Amino acid sequence: MSVLARKATAEFAGSAFLVMAVVGSGVMASRLSPSDVGLQLLQNSIATGAALVALIAALQPISASFNPVVTLVERALGLVDTRTVLGLVVAQVLGGLTGSVLANLMFGLAPVAASSQERAGAGIWLGEVVATVGLLLVVFGAVRSGRADRVAVAVGGYITAAYWFTSSTSFANPAVTIARTITDTFAGIAPSSAPAFILAQLLGGAAGYFLVRFLYPTAADSAAVLTDRKVLS
């Protein structure tokens, strides 16, 4: 199996399990705590953060972005080439959609159901920009400062917190956003709301890239990570 195929498979599997964690825990939370939205969000955020820690820790030696914005910034930093970016982004989107379908089926729901949950407004879109900038700062701050082994815990902790301090509940991921349009559950987002979310995430990605480059101007650590990845491949 080629290096790209292995990376794409890791991204597909990781994205699928991540979305299963988001959607599945949302369904479970709404069934266990039907009258307490705050408790539902707490349960959803803890499950998502814990899943991220486990998935990144397991798949990081191969590929563990699970997020097109992170992958695009990796390209901008010279960590991956364009062909790899295309392969990984496709895998992330397909993995996310698969995760939504499986989560729906596990809980006895229709495999695909367009979400009716509208998420729109300037404050919510700003929340997505902020959430995405913060995610990139956590990911690449750890990597470019030579602490890539801490990315799993850092990302899991950040997303758990960002569920609560951002108005959008921190999707911060175009692949996950697309996947959440086909589940009419607690974690869903209406298809009509998704384009603005994705645009906000891309804007946050651009801002996060420039912030990372300003705070960590040397690419020495990034080059070292790339070398490690090639060795592991």
Side-chain angles (χ1 to χ4, degrees):
M1 183 179 290
S2 70
V3 172
L4 178 55
R6 291 178 60 223
K7 289 179 180 294
T9 300
E11 291 291 337
F12 177 91
S15 298
F17 275 99
L18 172 57
V19 172
M20 278 190 275
V22 173
V23 174
S25 65
V27 176
M28 182 69 81
S30 63
R31 292 181 179 180
L32 294 176
S33 310
S35 59
D36 192 334
V37 177
L39 185 55
Q40 291 172 18
L41 185 62
L42 178 63
Q43 294 160 338
N44 194 205
S45 64
I46 291 174
T48 302
L52 272 169
V53 172
L55 291 169
I56 294 173
L59 296 173
Q60 190 175 20
I62 305 169
S63 187
S65 297
F66 317 144
N67 187 333
V69 172
V70 174
T71 300
L72 288 170
V73 173
E74 286 183 319
R75 176 66 186 94
L77 293 172
L79 294 173
V80 292
D81 58 29
T82 301
R83 177 171 172 269
T84 298
V85 168
L86 293 174
L88 298 189
V89 169
V90 169
Q92 291 158 357
V93 173
L94 293 178
L97 290 169
T98 300
S100 266
V101 170
L102 291 174
N104 287 337
L105 291 173
M106 283 194 292
F107 286 93
L109 305 173
V112 175
S115 175
S116 58
Q117 189 160 341
E118 296 286 343
R119 300 176 188 262
I124 290 177
W125 298 328
L126 176 60
E128 272 303 279
V129 173
V130 170
T132 307
V133 171
L135 175 61
L136 294 177
L137 182 62
V138 167
V139 171
F140 292 101
V143 170
R144 289 175 76 86
S145 60
R147 296 173 295 172
D149 59 320
R150 303 182 188 180
V151 169
V153 174
V155 171
Y158 172 77
I159 291 297
T160 301
Y163 259 73
W164 290 89
F165 74 75
T166 64
S167 56
S168 63
T169 66
S170 186
F171 285 45
N173 186 327
V176 169
T177 302
I178 293 169
R180 289 167 71 164
T181 65
I182 64 169
T183 179
D184 194 17
T185 60
F186 176 80
I189 177 173
S192 60
S193 298
F197 259 59
I198 293 171
L199 177 59
Q201 291 155 4
L202 293 174
L203 291 174
Y209 165 75
F210 287 111
L211 179 59
V212 168
R213 285 298 302 267
F214 178 76
L215 294 175
Y216 302 94
T218 172
D221 293 321
S222 297
V225 171
L226 179 59
T227 300
D228 290 342
R229 286 185 175 181
K230 288 181 177 177
V231 171
L232 289 167
S233 297

